[in-house]
Amino acid sequence: MKIDLLVIAVHPDDAELSCSGTLLKHKALGKKTGVIDLTRGELGTRGNETTRAAEAADAARILKLDVRENLGMRDGFFKNDEEHQLMIIRKIRQYEPEIVITNALTDRHPDHGRAAGLVNDAAFLSGLVKIKTELDGKQQNAWRPRLLLNFIQNAYIKPDIIIDITPFWEEKMASIAAYKTQFYNPDANEEHETYISSPEFVKVIEAKARELGISINTNYAEGFTSSKLLGVDNLFELK
């Protein structure tokens, strides 16, 4: 299956927090969408591998994803090395995405920036024909996405592109709420309060989306950065 828009994120819930509106919007436009989580988020204070997997599956249904996978890398301790790059290269060559979105280049959580570097390197190397990979015993063809974008996560980074997600706001928030162990849930029985489990954190997510939205005269938006210059065919398509 070819996936048009593939998100490769280090933790289950990163995609929901940072680009679920963009995934929903492009799904509505008829594109095939997918998420590959690099780790199971097993170092998270609340929940565990089993609950996070179930929550990710619930969120995938809300987002109408064509594919959701987990590569099972070691949370907190994965490396940007050949072994981990090849894991991602195999997936990029399997799904041949036109666009890949991944974590912020720099952020509060050290996994985010490290994952961004790992995915960026793997996306480039995936286009080199002399790097040989196999899937199910068959040699894969080289493939390089034509565009790689990075989330804006906890730390503020000025976006290079902003996507209007207003019609998909409620579904975005539903996908975040699927992570009942992670975010504010008055019925949760979790022992530990965390930075992201307070009701204020959800308000911050909305505030960021509104701040980006007002800059393009809409209610809610998601922003991304790009290491390459972006072009349009028609100036009148810009907001």
Side-chain angles (χ1 to χ4, degrees), residues 64-237:
K64 307 175 183 68
L65 298 178
D66 295 284
V67 167
R68 185 161 208 162
E69 297 186 22
N70 194 302
L71 295 186
M73 294 181 184
R74 190 179 175 201
D75 193 13
F77 296 98
F78 66 92
K79 297 179 180 180
N80 184 358
D81 60 12
E82 181 178 357
E83 175 187 358
H84 292 81
Q85 289 166 3
L86 285 171
M87 292 172 72
I88 297 173
I89 288 169
R90 290 187 186 96
K91 289 301 171 183
I92 291 174
R93 290 177 172 182
Q94 177 181 352
Y95 292 119
E96 299 185 342
E98 299 296 323
I99 299 173
V100 167
I101 306 179
T102 190
N103 289 93
L105 289 168
T106 181
D107 204 45
R108 171 178 175 266
H109 197 307
D111 278 2
H112 293 169
R114 191 162 70 256
L118 170 60
V119 174
N120 182 78
D121 290 351
F124 179 85
L125 294 172
S126 182
L128 300 181
V129 296
K130 290 185 178 179
I131 295 178
K132 305 298 183 183
T133 58
E134 292 185 356
L135 181 68
D136 298 329
K138 296 180 180 179
Q139 185 168 310
Q140 293 180 297
N141 294 323
W143 180 271
R144 183 177 295 145
R146 64 182 181 87
L147 178 63
L148 187 143
L149 299 174
N150 294 90
F151 307 149
I152 296 169
Q153 296 186 264
N154 186 73
Y156 176 76
I157 303 172
K158 183 180 179 181
D160 296 311
I161 187 168
I162 297 174
I163 308 293
D164 180 5
I165 62 162
T166 302
F168 306 98
W169 178 251
E170 296 302 327
E171 288 173 284
K172 172 186 174 75
M173 294 309 292
S175 75
I176 294 172
Y179 292 87
K180 294 180 174 62
T181 64
Q182 301 303 302
F183 305 111
Y184 178 66
N185 176 10
D187 300 322
N189 243 352
E190 292 285 348
E191 181 179 341
H192 301 285
E193 183 79 8
T194 69
Y195 169 71
I196 65 173
S197 68
S198 70
E200 286 72 25
F201 181 77
V202 176
K203 294 177 183 178
V204 169
I205 297 300
E206 180 173 358
K208 288 181 176 180
R210 284 189 175 276
E211 181 183 16
L212 290 171
I214 200 170
S215 66
I216 56 170
N217 299 311
T218 192
N219 291 331
Y220 299 101
E222 291 171 340
F224 305 94
T225 61
S226 173
S227 61
K228 63 176 282 187
L229 293 175
L230 303 172
V232 295
D233 290 329
N234 186 339
L235 289 176
F236 291 92
E237 292 178 354

Side-chain angles (χ1 to χ4, degrees), residues 3-8 15 23 32-36 64-69:
I3 298 296
D4 300 299
L5 175 58
L6 181 63
V7 176
I8 305 177
L23 282 166
K32 290 192 179 296
T33 59
V35 173
I36 295 177
K64 307 175 183 68
L65 298 178
D66 295 284
V67 167
R68 185 161 208 162
E69 297 186 22

